[in-house]
Amino acid sequence: MDLQPSKILIVDDILHNRIALTKVLEPLNNVEVVEADSGNEALKKLLNNDFSVILLDVNMPGMDGYEVANLISSSQAHKHTPIVMLTAHDSSAPDVLRAYEAGAIDYLTKPIESTILLNKVKQFVKISQLQAKTNYLKSERESILEAAGQGVIKFTSEGDIEFINKKACQMLGSVADKIIGSQFNQWFSHMEIEPDYDNLFMFLRKKVHKLGLYQHQIAKLIDINKKTHLVELTCTSPRSQKNYSMIVLFQDISARLEMESELVHLANYDTLTQLANRACFHDNLARAINRSKRLESTVVLLLLDLDRFKQVNDTLGHDVGDELLQGVAKRLTSMLRETDLAARLGGDEFAILIEDSQSSLDAELLAKKVVSLISKPFLIQDKEICIETSIGLSRSVAGKSDKATLLKWADIALYEAKAVGRNCYQLFVPEMSVQAQKQALIQSQLRQIIEQNLLDVHYQGQFCLKENRFVGFEALVRWPKSNFGEIPISPAQFIPIAEQSHLIHELGYQVLHQACGVLQSWQLSTDTQHLTLAVNLSAKQLNAYDFLDRLEHVLCQFDFPLAKLTFELTETAFLEDSEHVQKCMKTLINMGFSLALDDFGTGYSSLNYLQNLPFDIIKIDRCFIQRLGFCHKTTALVKAIITIADAFDMSVVAEGVENQIQLDCIASLGCNKIQGFYFSKPIPKEEIASLISATNINNKKVLSK
Ligand code: C2E
Ligand code: CA
Ligand code: CA
C-alpha cells in the first residue's frame, strides 16, 4: 500500500526560523514540509491540504499564534490536526495555558531543542500515517461491500444497527443516518424458524454464536414504505469480537422465488386447466397411499373419461374443446374439499384423489354428483354444449393396494362404466368381468408403450404376379416383445381398444413415422426404389380435425415421392358421410398419395362406394379368399369386383392368400396383386432386403408354381 507523504506545516514570520526548523525535520522519511510566513498564509494553506502536524509560532505580527490555533481548532475540517506551539523562552505558565486553550496539543520553548522537536514531530507523523492507513482500509472495505451487490448490516449485540452499506439502505428505503441505531427486528422478521424463538434476531445470534457462519435463512424484510420483500440472510460474527455483534448479508430473493415457484407450477400443473398434471397426480397418489398405510385410512381414486369429447373437438374446433375442458375442470374443483385433488391426466382424462373417505358410499355419492354435474350443458361461445363422463372408482384401505393396482382397478372400473353405457360410474369390485379387466390392462399397457415410443412395425409384402416381384408392402403395427406381457397382443385386439381411448391418434402417428423412415431408406437402392408402402388409417384418425396438420408435420421430416405412400381406409371412415372426411380424402389424393379401400367385402360394403369415393386400390378381404373355390357365389362376386375395379381403373389386391389353390383361383379371376402368407408374413424392416433378394433368385420357382 503506497501512502501519500505526510505534510507538516511550519508557521513562522521569520524566514531564518523556518529554514532552521525545516533542517531539523530533514531526517524524516516520506514527509513534505510546507511553510507559511503569517497566520493568514497558514489558513490559506489549510484550505487545500491536510497536515499531520502544525508547528505554530506564537509571536507573529498581525494574527498571533493563539488566534491562528483558535481558528484552526474550531474549524470542522481541521479540528483534529495536532498543533504544537512554539513559545518564547520566557513564556509564563499562563501563556502555556493559553496555548492549550487555543487548541494546541503541545508546546516547545525557544530555543528549540532539535532532538525533542524531531521526536515529537516523528510521533505525530506516525499517528497520522496510521490514521491514513486505517482510513484507506476502511474505504477499501466499504467499496468491496458496495460492489458485493448485497445488503450488509452490522448489528450490536443488542440488535442495533451500527453499520449499513448503500445497497442495504436502498433495500430498506432510507438513508444510513436514519437507519443507524434502529433495531434489527424493526426491519426483519421470520418466515419460519424453530418454534423456541419468537424473535429472529435472538435466533440468528444463537446460531451464529454456535456455528460462526449461518446461511440460507429466509426472512421477511419490511421496508420503510411497509412493503415486504423476501430476503435470504447470511449471518456471521466479526472474529476478533468476543461479544455477540453480528454482520448480516442479505439479498432480495422475491424474484428468484417467484421464478422457482413458477417453474414448480409448470412442472406440476396443466397449463390449460390449472389442475395438477399427470406427474403431480402420481406423486400425490403415492404419498396418499403411504399416509393411508400409516394412518390406516382410505384412499379413493376416480378416473374420468369424457364421452364424446373428441367429437366436440373435431366438429367445433379445439378452441371450443379447450374451453370445455376448462369448464369441466372448474366444475370438478367446485365439488372438492381442500384436501381432495383433481388432476388432468391428458386429453379428456381427469382424475380425482380423495383421502380418508369414510366409506365407499361417500365416494360413490361424489362420483354420482360428478356425473350429473358434467352432464349439465356448458355454455361456450354462445353455444350450449353437452357432454357426459364415465367414471371408474377404486379404493384402497390402509394402503393395502399399491399405486399401480389402484390405477389398474380404476381403469377396469372405467372400462366397465363405458361398457355399461357411459354417463355413469362403476366402483371396482373383484368380480368385475374378466374381459373388462383384460381390456383395461391392455389399454393401460398400450398407453405406456405409446408414451415410451416402443411400438414395433412389421411389413407384409404385396406380390405382383405380372411383374413377378414384390411391388409394395403394408405396415402393420406390433405389440413390443419385452416388458409388456409374455404373449404379444395382436393388433386385431388392441387397435379397437386404442380407438376407444383415443390412443389411436398417437399410435397412428408413431406407425406413420416409422413407415416414412422405411420409405425414405428404400429410395437409396434400385432393388427397393419401386416399392410402395401402405399405412392403415383408422376412421377416428381421419375424423380428427387436425389430421392433415399432423400428417404434414410427420411428412416434412422425410424425403420420398408421396405417390409411394398409400393410405388404407376401411369403410367405417366414411359411414357417417362427413364432409370433413370427404375433404380430407380429396386433399390426400391431391397431395399425390394413393388410397386403398381395405377389407372390402366385410360389413356394409357396397359397390356404390367404388363409384363415389376416390380409391385407387381395392383390397379384397381374406374371408372372400378363404371361400374361393368352395362357394360359387363368392367366386362370382369377386369376379364382379375385379371387373368393376378394372372399369374404374383401380387395382385390386387379394388379402390373405395362404396356399397354391387360393392363388391359382384368384389369378384365374384376373387379380394379380397378392398379399398373404403364401408370399410373405409380416416381417421386421431388417428382413425386407433379404426377402426381396430371395424372391429375385427364386423367381423361376414361383413362376413354375
Ligand atoms: P388389415 O389391415 O386387414 O391387415 C391385414 C391383416 O391380415 C394383418 O393382421 C395380417 O397379418 C393378416 N394377414 C395377412 N396375410 C394373411 C394370411 O395369409 N393369413 C392370415 N390368417 N392372416 C393374414 P394383423 O397384423 O394382425 O392386423 C390386424 C388388423 O389390425 C389390420 O387388418 C388392421 O385393421 C389393424 N392394424 C394393423 N396395424 C395397424 C395400424 O398401424 N393402424 C391401424 N389403424 N390399424 C392397424
Ligand atoms: Ca390394411
Ligand atoms: Ca385388410
Side-chain angles (χ1 to χ4, degrees), residues 142-163:
E142 277 173 10
S143 39
I144 290 171
L145 289 178
E146 298 310 343
Q150 294 203 356
V152 182
I153 298 185
K154 185 178 173 206
F155 296 94
T156 65
S157 53
E158 273 71 50
D160 297 330
I161 297 180
E162 207 174 43
F163 165 83

Side-chain angles (χ1 to χ4, degrees), residues 148-316:
Q150 294 203 356
V152 182
I153 298 185
K154 185 178 173 206
F155 296 94
T156 65
S157 53
E158 273 71 50
D160 297 330
I161 297 180
E162 207 174 43
F163 165 83
I164 178 159
N165 75 346
K166 260 200 213 115
K167 179 77 190 173
C169 289
Q170 277 168 13
M171 289 164 78
L172 269 57
S174 185
V175 287
D177 284 350
K178 292 202 177 136
I179 299 170
I180 285 174
S182 62
Q183 271 276 317
F184 177 91
N185 290 320
Q186 177 190 328
W187 304 97
F188 296 90
S189 64
H190 56 249
M191 299 281 292
E192 40 194 61
I193 48 171
E194 290 159 22
D196 292 353
Y197 300 88
D198 57 357
N199 175 326
L200 180 61
F201 183 76
M202 298 305 275
F203 170 77
L204 294 173
R205 210 178 69 168
K206 198 74 177 246
K207 284 279 182 200
V208 168
H209 186 59
K210 212 160 109 191
L211 306 169
L213 177 70
Y214 181 63
Q215 288 173 295
H216 308 307
Q217 174 68 47
I218 310 280
K220 277 191 286 193
L221 161 65
I222 298 161
D223 70 15
I224 198 91
N225 304 313
K226 300 277 173 265
K227 197 171 161 230
T228 303
H229 309 259
L230 286 180
V231 289
E232 189 181 56
L233 309 180
T234 299
C235 311
T236 181
S237 182
R239 234 186 312 153
S240 61
Q241 297 187 10
K242 289 228 168 52
N243 64 18
Y244 283 98
S245 76
M246 184 167 73
I247 295 169
V248 175
L249 284 80
F250 60 100
Q251 54 189 339
D252 194 327
I253 54 164
S254 309
R256 193 185 87 199
L257 288 184
E258 213 169 277
M259 181 114 104
E260 278 172 7
S261 85
E262 213 164 283
L263 286 177
V264 169
H265 191 86
L266 272 180
N268 286 296
Y269 290 87
D270 171 47
T271 36
L272 179 68
T273 60
Q274 298 305 318
L275 296 183
N277 64 12
R278 179 180 281 272
C280 173
F281 179 75
H282 277 250
D283 285 352
N284 275 280
L285 179 57
R287 273 201 293 273
I289 290 172
N290 282 339
R291 251 194 311 269
S292 103
K293 212 175 277 179
R294 259 198 339 267
L295 307 172
E296 305 226 311
S297 59
T298 310
V299 175
V300 172
L301 175 61
L302 279 77
L303 286 187
L304 288 79
D305 196 297
L306 302 184
D307 303 328
R308 294 203 331 264
F309 171 73
K310 198 80 200 161
Q311 209 173 314
V312 172
N313 218 6
D314 292 346
T315 50
L316 301 175

